[in-house]
Structure formats: structure tokens, C-alpha cells
Amino acid sequence: MDNNKQTKGRQRIDTSKRRESEEDRLITFSKRRSGLYKKGSELCTLCGTQLAILIFSPSGKPFSFAHPNIEVIARRVLETNPRSDDQDSNGVMDACRRNSIDELNEQLTLLSNEVEYEKERGTKLAQTTKARQNKPLCEQKIDELGGYDAQKLKAWLLELQARINNRLEELSVAQATRPSAVGAIDGNASSSSYGHWGIHFKNFN
Amino acid sequence: MDNNKQTKGRQRIDTSKRRESEEDRLITFSKRRSGLYKKGSELCTLCGTQLAILIFSPSGKPFSFAHPNIEVIARRVLETNPRSDDQDSNGVMDACRRNSIDELNEQLTLLSNEVEYEKERGTKLAQTTKARQNKPLCEQKIDELGGYDAQKLKAWLLELQARINNRLEELSVAQATRPSAVGAIDGNASSSSYGHWGIHFKNFN
DNA sequence: GACACTATATTTAGTTA
DNA sequence: GTAACTAAATATAGTGT
């Protein structure tokens, strides 16, 4: 079994179940994440779309890949909806119901139950960490944050970085091929690139 | 050339340039988006990661695919960070370069300036559209919104739906294989599924 | 305009350097 | 950790339905 073929080549794996070994998971994650980014970037170039991919590794590290304008929209949403979201979404329900988007109604009805659930859950969480009560996450000192929140903050900042650097890339590369640029932030310090995309940063830690 | 081979099979295309024909773009978009989702869902199952993919089609329709908890984080961010963003990213880049968790504080300081800027900008924008002043986007009537804003609202709602349905799926499928569930929302009314994921909704329009 | 097909292009599991 | 390498597994361009 070693003279005929040099390797076993790609083996089939069951994509419907989690990889057993931690190591395998990590390797697969790394390889496939790259693949996903590549696919994403190709989709962007080929079709001129905007794209954002967010991944959290098994160990909780945030990874992201994005083609600019997605986050512009995200920001816009963010700007206009200070804390819309769940938390009483009735206004939304009404607005939507009144406006021809009929199918949304059912979904939103289901929503209210979920909202209740989330509300309660949120309250509980809030009670466990007093200091958090009145300060937005972004204004707290890192030390005050539990590991979980810190992680989320990191994620957010990573996103922010991506956004900013996308903008920069846009400005510098600018008018060239097309007004396009993609920034990718990785939890790891790898730095391959895909086509004309591929701005990579190193991990925080 | 028609007796030997039935088809030309897959042809090589230049993935570094936009597809010429509008039709090709659409077809490629559709096919590759599916592929991307599939890859994404496989990555999730294989490695137990959390994932969110957002795409805006050439025509501006929002598409998304997500594995639950990503959007939990997104919501948190949304709740705690009314507005923030690019505009002068030098500080951030530097901090990034220095690269430690302590630098996050610096970034946050710089951030507050950004926030100020965005706030102003937001105010200006708000002045141009009176009705928007005090109402969050989500409470406005669709008719009052410009096409652009309406689109963003849709995107947001689509995300919201995804989130909700993820939760629902979690609750129902629950303890099974693992506490995992993915919801995919598409601008189109397709409804294939990937593994045990794949909740699809129809388009708004 | 979603599906099915088929031949080829591309990705990647397992392995080795 | 990581950077190839190889063979097999998948994805998909072009096509027809």
C-alpha cells in the first residue's frame, strides 16, 4: 500500500458530523476558512456583490472577511436603531404589517414570544454584573469585563478595524480596477490574499 | 464537436474579473451563493463554529446565512453601540500594530472621537428628513422611507427573522445532535437545505 | 428562472518535509 | 505551527429542459 499510490489522496468525511479530534477540527477549520474566504472573494469579483463573513472559531476567536459596503449598511442600521432590536419590536411589527410585506407578519408574531424569553434572559445577565448596568459595553474598561464580554468587545473592534481598513483601502486603491476593496481580519496572523483583496491583521492576543 | 463529448464541461473562467454579461452574473451569483452557504454550513458542523454570511446581490437584495450565536453578539453590539465608525483610522491601525488587549482602551478612546463625528453626521442627515428625527428606522412607515432606507430596514428585518428562527429551531430541535441550528434567509424563494440546517424564507417583494 | 446534466476546474483530507 | 503534495471528492460553467 505504499508503492502503488503516494498518498491516499482526499478522503471522504462525513460533513454532517463534527470532527472528532480537536486537532482535526483546528486544521479543518483553518483550511476551510481559507476556502470560504476565497469563494467569497471570487463571488464578489465575479458578480460585483458586497459580502461579509463572520466566523467564530471553536476556541472563540473572531474571524471576518468583508467587501466594503456591507458594513456601511450595518452602520446605517446601527445609527438609526440605537437599541431597536428585540426588546419591544411591536413598532416594527406594526410598521411592517401596514406595509405590504405580508409574509413578515407570521414571523414577527412568533417573534414576540422569543422577545419575552430574551428579555428575561437579558435581565438575569444584567443582574449578575452590576457595573455593566448603565455603561455601554464600549465605554467600560477591559478589566471590568468578564471574559465573555471582553471577547464580544474584541469581536466588535475587530469588525470596526475591518471597516476602517476597508475604507482606507478604498481610498488608496480607489479608482483603479473598480471601486472595490476587501479587508479580512483574522484571529491568526496569516496573510494570504485573494485576488485584489486581502488585508489581514494580526490577532489581538 | 457534438458526437465525442456531450458537453464542454466546466470551463475555466477568470475569477479576477467581473462577469461580463448581466445574465451570467446572476446565474453565477445564484450558483456560487449556494456553494458558499454549503461550505459555510459544513464548516459549522465539522468544526462546531459560529458563522454569519451576509451578501448583497448586484441588484441590492440582501441574502444571509447564519449559525446562531453570531447574531447574539451582533445584537449586543447593536444595543450598546448607538453609532461609531471609520473616519480617521490611524489611531486604530497603530493600536492594532502594537497589538495587545490593553491597546483596546486606546482604541476606545479614539473611538469616542469617531462617535462624535458620526453623531454630527447623523444629525445632519436627520435634518434632511424630518420625520426620521425622533423615530427609529424600525418604527417608520415603509412609504416614508426612501428606497435606500427601506432596503436597509428590510435587511435588518431579514436578519431579525434569521435570528428568531434560529432560536426557534434551537428550541424545537434542541438537545438533539448538538444545540445547533442555522437559519438562512434569502432574497429569493428557494428552499434547499444543507445538512440539518437550512431554514429559508421567501423574499419580501 | 429553478433543475438536471456532464466534463472539467477547484478544493481539500491525509500525509510528508 | 506550516507549507507543500497527491489523489480523491466536490463545485460549477456551459448546456438543455
Side-chain angles (χ1 to χ4, degrees), chain B residues 153-172:
Chain B
L153 176 56
K154 277 194 214 171
W156 177 67
L157 287 171
L158 283 167
E159 265 201 286
L160 198 60
Q161 282 186 313
R163 195 181 308 154
I164 291 153
N165 282 278
N166 285 332
R167 173 80 37 186
L168 284 175
E169 182 69 0
E170 271 182 308
L171 292 175
S172 61

Side-chain angles (χ1 to χ4, degrees), chain A residues 142-162:
Chain A
I142 303 293
D143 331 308
E144 292 174 14
L145 298 171
Y148 190 52
D149 278 342
Q151 184 176 298
K152 279 179 293 184
L153 176 56
K154 274 198 222 170
W156 176 66
L157 285 170
L158 283 167
E159 262 198 41
L160 195 62
Q161 283 185 315

